[in-house]
Amino acid sequence: MKQDSNLLPAVLLAALSVLLSATMPAQAAEVACGKWTVRYDDAAHNVTLLKNGTPVLSEVSSRFKFGGTVYQTSSYGSGGTLADEPLTDAVGSGRRLTITYNGPSASLPVVEQNYYLYADADYVLTDVVLRMPGGQRLESNYIAPVIPRAPFSARWTTELCPTVTGNYIINLRTDDGCRMWIDGKQVLDAWVSHPATDNVAEVTLEAGRRYHVVIEYFDGGGDAYARLLWKAPNVSKTSRIEYFGDAGKAARECDAVVAVLGIDKSIEREGQDRYTLDLPADQREFIQELYRINPRTVVVLVAGSSLALNWIDAHVPAVLDAWYPGEQGGTAVAEALFGDYNPGGRLPLTFYRLTDDLPAFDDYSLTGASGRTYQYFTGKPLYEFGYGLSYTTFRYSQLATRDLGESVEVTFTVANTGKRDGDEVAQVYVHYPATGTYMPIKQLRGFERVHIARGKKQAVRVVIPKKELRYWDENRRAFVTPKGQYTIMVGSSSERIHLQSDINL
């Protein structure tokens, strides 16, 4: 989590009702659901403070105003108000739509078009909604003889002339691959097999100007689905924040704002790869507009993986990552925000700044380019592996290492130097001797979560079995424990190393 100006848990607006929806008592709260038991402390231990920079979240305050749910942004997958509007005469018109399926073609005039494709082993059915310039509506649900069976590809080409100038959200919802160009510039590229997915881009279009539009699609088998949607500018709105209901009004009237953002199974799930590390486009616009109105804004993330939060990290004073916290997540997040719980979660993975920081998905090498994971990544992460902040501060001292024969003993002292009781997760990393092969920059080889009262200190002991220092030697075709000088590093994350010492093994 991030915090810049003592905002958490000071003066806050509970902007979304999810934060206060759970009422079970802290620590003892436990809800049985069939075979599963959802515990408060499980959710609380995962809450991770990514930023708290002045700090915003640190002092308990009784001055709170509950604003209710003022707006809930849509995700890539839900469409909804994000981009579920077909082309209409009110915002634009098209000249001719040319459709090509692997060679055969058909040309149809078009003003409004929603296009569906379905395919199975026996036939291809198209459901076409086409409105002719004279208002005649073509019948839907007919077999299109020019469409081949899967696998097949299609290209749509047309001209679009908007009647409103502004930012448009383009949503190309397809099952399998798609890509789109406007005046020769590619605005969408999802040319891989995938289940029904929303592929979203934001473009600026000028009223009265004709744009040449090309859309390509392929179906590799199974379901076939392609639909072009958009969110057109609303000329009745005087500012962008008005697109988000009463959020602007609430932000102006409150001391501080809590904005809950994130992703869901429509973006990350089994069989569904993410195409970007960014938040959905409407959420990025939403938080920027909120921050412009009220800089005392806190972001709560709900997601199961890393996100590129560069703008949020640079501007928003506090960020709390709740992950997918389960049934007691509302209680855990609310108590962390309002100071009843001092968050002690730590990141189990690296938050990268850019998708380009990562190798291609089909490149399984950990060591290529700038590397993958904290063990090999040579760039600067946004938030590193093991990272997480607290409402208190800790100091490390008195590192000692000892060879115990079959293991290595690492001892040190952690002192709570802040004003709050809190958990620290002390992490022990190892840098290996030279082996003649590519070794990790560092590897986590032990950690200990300790609860330390304010003003107190605690001795910590971590024992590393030597068998866990082995690596696979390709020449010997066996696991080998290298001999030589090891560097033992102790810190609060993979990048925040406070103590280190060398030992010969």
Side-chain angles (χ1 to χ4, degrees):
M1 177 174 176
K2 164 186 171 177
Q3 167 151 310
D4 271 345
S5 51
N6 271 341
L7 187 57
L8 294 183
V11 185
L12 292 178
L13 159 70
L16 293 178
S17 58
V18 65
L19 298 182
L20 301 180
S21 61
T23 57
M24 297 294 287
Q27 307 301 335
E30 184 172 290
V31 181
C33 305
K35 295 182 179 179
W36 299 99
T37 299
V38 183
R39 296 175 55 91
Y40 161 82
D41 51 0
D42 292 336
H45 285 169
N46 289 327
V47 172
T48 306
L49 188 62
L50 298 180
K51 183 179 179 182
N52 190 23
T54 302
V56 175
L57 312 178
S58 62
E59 301 297 334
V60 177
S61 172
S62 60
R63 296 184 297 155
F64 296 106
K65 176 180 178 182
F66 178 65
T69 302
V70 294
Y71 183 75
Q72 182 174 352
T73 58
S74 58
S75 68
Y76 293 134
S78 62
T81 57
L82 166 66
D84 210 4
E85 303 173 8
L87 176 62
T88 65
D89 287 324
V91 291
S93 61
R95 273 187 173 175
R96 292 179 65 83
L97 173 69
T98 301
I99 310 171
T100 303
Y101 305 96
N102 281 346
S105 65
S107 296
L108 292 170
V110 62
V111 173
E112 174 182 304
Q113 79 104 4
N114 291 344
Y115 212 98
Y116 301 75
L117 298 175
Y118 301 91
D120 61 27
D122 298 320
Y123 65 91
V124 176
L125 173 68
T126 63
D127 178 0
V128 183
V129 181
L130 293 175
R131 197 176 301 279
M132 308 297 283
Q136 177 187 2
R137 183 183 178 94
L138 298 182
E139 293 297 325
S140 60
N141 294 325
Y142 67 90
I143 300 295
V146 297
I147 303 179
R149 296 177 181 177
F152 73 91
S153 61
R155 177 183 293 122
W156 291 268
T157 60
T158 189
E159 281 191 351
L160 174 65
C161 183
T163 58
V164 176
T165 297
N167 293 331
Y168 290 72
I169 303 295
I170 303 295
N171 181 2
L172 192 52
R173 187 178 297 167
T174 64
D175 184 320
D176 286 341
C178 65
R179 50 197 179 195
M180 180 177 182
W181 292 262
I182 298 179
D183 277 356
K185 179 181 179 181
Q186 189 167 23
V187 296
L188 286 172
D189 184 8
W191 202 249
V192 294
S193 295
H194 55 69
T197 304
D198 285 22
N199 306 283
V200 181
E202 182 173 354
V203 297
T204 301
L205 302 178
E206 299 177 10
R209 176 179 170 183
R210 293 198 173 275
Y211 294 88
H212 181 66
V213 178
V214 177
I215 298 171
E216 294 182 347
Y217 164 78
F218 81 83
D219 172 46
D223 292 339
Y225 178 94
R227 189 179 187 191
L228 177 62
L229 309 163
W230 72 353
K231 174 75 172 178
N234 189 333
V235 294
S236 66
K237 304 294 186 182
T238 58
S239 66
R240 297 297 294 177
I241 194 62
E242 292 187 41
Y243 288 94
F244 300 96
D246 295 329
K249 181 176 182 293
R252 292 184 187 96
E253 295 176 350
C254 295
D255 294 318
V257 175
V258 175
V260 179
L261 309 176
I263 55 180
D264 58 22
K265 65 179 182 180
S266 68
I267 297 174
E268 56 175 1
R269 67 179 184 270
E270 185 176 358
Q272 163 88 29
D273 296 330
R274 290 169 59 190
Y275 300 108
T276 177
L277 295 178
D278 294 327
L279 285 167
D282 61 333
Q283 294 191 34
R284 299 199 303 272
E285 180 182 28
F286 178 60
I287 189 59
Q288 291 177 26
E289 290 296 316
L290 275 185
Y291 176 81
R292 184 179 60 82
I293 295 170
N294 191 338
R296 291 174 63 78
T297 295
V298 179
V299 167
V300 175
L301 296 173
V302 179
S305 56
S306 64
L307 293 163
L309 306 169
N310 298 294
W311 187 93
I312 291 175
D313 181 71
H315 295 86
V316 175
V319 183
L320 186 76
D321 195 345
W323 301 92
Y324 292 134
E327 190 166 341
Q328 285 299 308
T331 300
V333 171
E335 293 193 352
L337 289 175
F338 300 146
D340 296 325
Y341 174 73
N342 187 355
R346 298 296 182 267
L347 294 183
L349 42 73
T350 300
F351 276 43
Y352 298 93
R353 295 178 180 273
L354 300 168
T355 305
D356 290 345
D357 286 341
L358 292 168
F361 191 75
D362 57 359
D363 178 0
Y364 292 96
S365 171
L366 292 174
T367 61
S370 58
R372 193 196 301 267
T373 80
Y374 79 94
Q375 299 180 67
Y376 299 97
F377 184 60
T378 57
K380 183 175 177 56
L382 181 64
Y383 303 122
E384 67 270 15
F385 173 85
Y387 173 80
L389 301 179
S390 171
Y391 294 155
T392 191
T393 55
F394 299 96
R395 184 180 67 244
Y396 288 68
S397 63
Q398 298 177 313
L399 173 63
T401 59
R402 188 163 57 130
D403 187 348
L404 300 180
E406 296 298 319
S407 61
V408 178
E409 179 188 65
V410 181
T411 58
F412 50 94
T413 299
V414 180
N416 185 337
T417 57
K419 299 179 181 180
R420 302 279 301 270
D421 299 350
D423 285 6
E424 173 66 324
V425 181
Q427 302 162 41
V428 179
Y429 294 86
V430 172
H431 177 72
Y432 292 88
T435 62
T437 187
Y438 201 96
M439 298 293 287
I441 299 169
K442 62 174 74 75
Q443 265 189 336
L444 180 70
R445 280 294 171 248
F447 66 91
E448 192 73 29
R449 177 184 286 270
V450 290
H451 183 80
I452 308 175
R454 62 178 182 174
K456 301 298 183 179
K457 60 183 179 181
Q458 182 168 329
V460 180
R461 179 176 182 263
V462 175
V463 175
I464 306 172
K466 288 185 177 178
K467 65 180 181 180
E468 295 186 5
L469 302 177
R470 301 179 301 173
Y471 74 98
W472 178 258
D473 189 309
E474 283 289 342
N475 295 324
R476 301 186 191 181
R477 305 297 295 174
F479 283 103
V480 175
T481 302
K483 296 181 180 180
Q485 181 175 283
Y486 289 75
T487 300
I488 306 297
M489 296 172 281
V490 176
S492 51
S493 75
S494 58
E495 295 287 321
R496 301 187 179 199
I497 302 300
H498 305 298
L499 305 169
Q500 68 179 50
S501 175
D502 295 334
I503 183 173
N504 286 303
L505 300 175

